[in-house]
Amino acid sequence: MTPLPGAEGDLDPTALRERLIARYPIAAEAPETIEVVRGPGRVNLIGEHTDYNEGFVLPVAIDRWIMMALVPTDDRVVELTLLADGTTSRFELDALPRPGRGSIDYVAGVAWSLSESGWPVRGFRAVLASNLPMSAGLSSSAALELASAWALLDADRRPDTDQDRMELARIAQRAENDFVGVRCGLMDQFASSLGRPGAAMLLDCRSLDYRAVTLPLEEHALVVCDSASPRRLAASQYNARREQCERATRLIRSRRPSVKSLRDVDSATLAESADLLDDETMRRAQHVVSENQRVLDCVDALERGDMEAVGRLFAASHASLRDLYEVSSPELDALVEAATAAPGGVAARMTGAGFGGCTINVVERNRVDDFAESVTLSYRRATGLTGRVMVVNPSAGAGVVE
């Protein structure tokens, strides 16, 4: 679900404004109307493939963004130039195109979803830059959706409360589900819309209750390792995992009518239902049931500052995603192995939907350089690939860049 071509762009707002003016004469004619908006990517600390099972997740909005400089227009046309490769796409708000044109689908989908929800939208011309790595599982799709929402809305219609930001996240999720056609849960859009500096966000994907979890980052850093192996995630593969979870729920419900999703299943109930499920479906359900508990246990460990427990929980999560849910990859496994052996490494696991992409690591802050050097060397020896190591910091959610 990473729709962008993915070369790093210049995210300096002044430079983006200049690129917009150079590209669109209308911006030069009314420079006072130019705005810069951004949507952050996210890294999920723990709680993978639990969101669409009404479970718990613990994402962090990060200081890697999609950023647009834009000039609003009255012509009901959206035109967007990607600075990474120079391509330009456009559509009319009153005659939305069918999906299938790449990254512009996410912008058009948000325009459709906003309109369907009664939020008036406007046309604009924009240039876009990103420093989110391509196909890395850091949710450039949600970042693009939230940045697009802020671009499509007039200033007086933009969210100014957390309730509005949650509604905007749900609107963006609907765009990806019903327009683009990827049956994602709410986690990515939630994180990109409601992120907090210095904190992860614990979200109950059933009730939509959430709270900030302050991270103990004085002596530890969040480090993302990009496998440089693009995610081999077709929408059909992602959707297949969701369908397997829904199948498990239906079968368990036939015996336990109170079960509405795998959120309602504990280990004992799952064991009692073993005769109903084939081996593969059973493994999928086992992951979700155990992962939900790991999220809650990890929040407790983080708030106690028990980083050894965090390390154990990350390791168990990765093993479950590898062996039960089968969404890891040889490259991700090699990265986790390298990180586990590296100096300063405290916790390591794959993050995101899987099939390639990134790992998330907790590293002793004073050993980040040693950690990065060790992981890069070990990973290259194991795979022949040169990974990328990035320290990331918890960021605020989407909005206007002042």
Side-chain angles (χ1 to χ4, degrees):
M1 292 174 287
T2 46
L4 297 174
E8 286 217 5
D10 186 350
L11 296 192
D12 176 73
T14 300
L16 280 180
R17 289 171 179 267
E18 292 172 353
R19 295 292 294 274
L20 179 72
I21 289 170
R23 176 67 180 83
Y24 293 107
I26 189 174
E29 294 166 5
E32 71 282 359
T33 67
I34 294 173
E35 298 178 299
V36 179
V37 298
R38 71 183 180 197
R42 69 94 189 92
V43 64
N44 190 26
L45 295 188
I46 197 165
E48 229 62 79
H49 293 276
T50 50
D51 57 345
Y52 54 79
N53 288 292
E54 297 187 338
F56 299 100
V57 292
L58 190 65
V60 177
I62 59 174
D63 53 349
R64 298 273 168 164
W65 297 285
I66 285 173
M67 194 174 292
M68 296 184 198
L70 65 102
V71 57
T73 63
D74 297 324
D75 59 7
R76 305 284 293 169
V77 171
V78 169
E79 184 171 304
L80 181 63
T81 297
L82 305 183
L83 296 180
D85 62 6
T87 60
T88 296
S89 301
R90 61 184 282 142
F91 61 85
E92 297 181 13
L93 289 169
D94 300 318
L96 293 175
R98 294 177 62 85
R101 301 196 302 154
S103 58
I104 198 68
D105 289 351
Y106 294 81
V107 186
V110 171
W112 167 81
S113 189
L114 283 167
S115 297
E116 287 286 303
S117 300
W119 292 44
V121 295
R122 66 183 184 185
F124 62 84
R125 305 292 186 272
V127 295
L128 180 151
S130 172
N131 63 2
L132 278 170
M134 178 183 179
S135 298
L138 300 180
S139 200
S140 59
S141 57
L144 177 57
E145 288 156 8
L146 268 299
S148 298
W150 281 76
L152 285 158
L153 294 170
D154 284 324
D156 61 352
R157 298 292 303 183
R158 289 170 175 158
D160 57 6
T161 67
D162 282 357
Q163 182 178 354
D164 288 343
R165 283 180 171 270
M166 177 61 86
E167 184 178 355
L168 205 60
R170 298 181 74 177
I171 286 169
Q173 180 200 15
R174 185 183 181 193
E176 191 154 343
N177 289 175
D178 297 341
F179 192 89
V180 178
V182 177
R183 299 180 65 203
C184 64
L186 182 61
M187 175 181 67
D188 295 350
Q189 293 82 7
F190 162 78
S192 192
S193 189
L194 283 129
R196 299 280 194 279
M201 301 296 291
L202 173 64
L203 173 67
D204 180 335
C205 295
R206 168 170 285 172
S207 67
L208 301 187
D209 291 337
Y210 61 88
R211 67 179 179 90
V213 177
T214 301
L215 298 175
L217 298 179
E218 296 81 5
E219 298 180 0
H220 297 87
L222 298 180
V223 177
V224 169
C225 295
D226 183 355
S227 69
S229 174
R231 291 190 305 155
R232 296 173 289 272
L233 170 60
S236 60
Q237 287 294 318
Y238 182 92
N239 292 343
R241 294 301 189 280
R242 182 164 184 164
E243 289 165 3
Q244 289 170 324
C245 292
E246 291 170 352
R247 170 178 166 78
T249 300
R250 287 194 303 271
L251 292 170
I252 297 170
R253 186 189 302 135
S254 69
R255 185 174 290 168
R256 293 234 182 178
S258 62
V259 170
K260 306 302 182 186
S261 74
L262 289 179
R263 163 70 175 274
D264 301 314
V265 179
D266 58 19
S267 297
T269 301
L270 188 57
E272 293 170 3
S273 306
D275 61 312
L276 299 174
L277 310 180
D278 62 80
D279 288 345
E280 186 175 72
T281 305
M282 183 67 170
R283 291 197 302 273
R284 305 300 187 246
Q286 285 175 326
H287 164 72
V288 174
V289 170
S290 60
E291 186 80 348
N292 269 324
Q293 187 59 50
R294 280 190 288 269
V295 175
L296 301 179
D297 291 344
C298 191
V299 169
D300 179 65
L302 287 167
E303 293 184 327
R304 288 186 289 106
D306 186 349
M307 304 312 286
E308 289 187 9
V310 172
R312 291 192 296 272
L313 290 162
F314 272 38
S317 175
H318 184 80
S320 182
L321 289 159
R322 181 191 64 214
D323 300 333
L324 299 178
Y325 221 69
E326 297 181 281
V327 293
S328 189
S329 69
E331 293 84 5
L332 290 172
D333 295 342
L335 265 182
V336 168
E337 184 177 348
T340 301
V346 174
R349 61 180 290 275
M350 60 156 279
T351 187
F355 305 98
C358 289
T359 64
I360 177 62
N361 306 267
V362 179
V363 180
E364 294 173 6
R365 189 169 288 279
N366 62 357
R367 305 204 71 183
V368 166
D369 290 343
D370 295 336
F371 174 88
E373 182 179 356
S374 176
V375 167
T376 301
L377 180 59
S378 297
Y379 181 65
R380 186 184 300 122
R381 286 173 176 167
T383 66
L385 297 171
T386 301
R388 180 183 183 192
V389 180
M390 300 170 282
V391 176
V392 296
N393 298 291
S395 164
V400 175
V401 180
E402 300 296 339

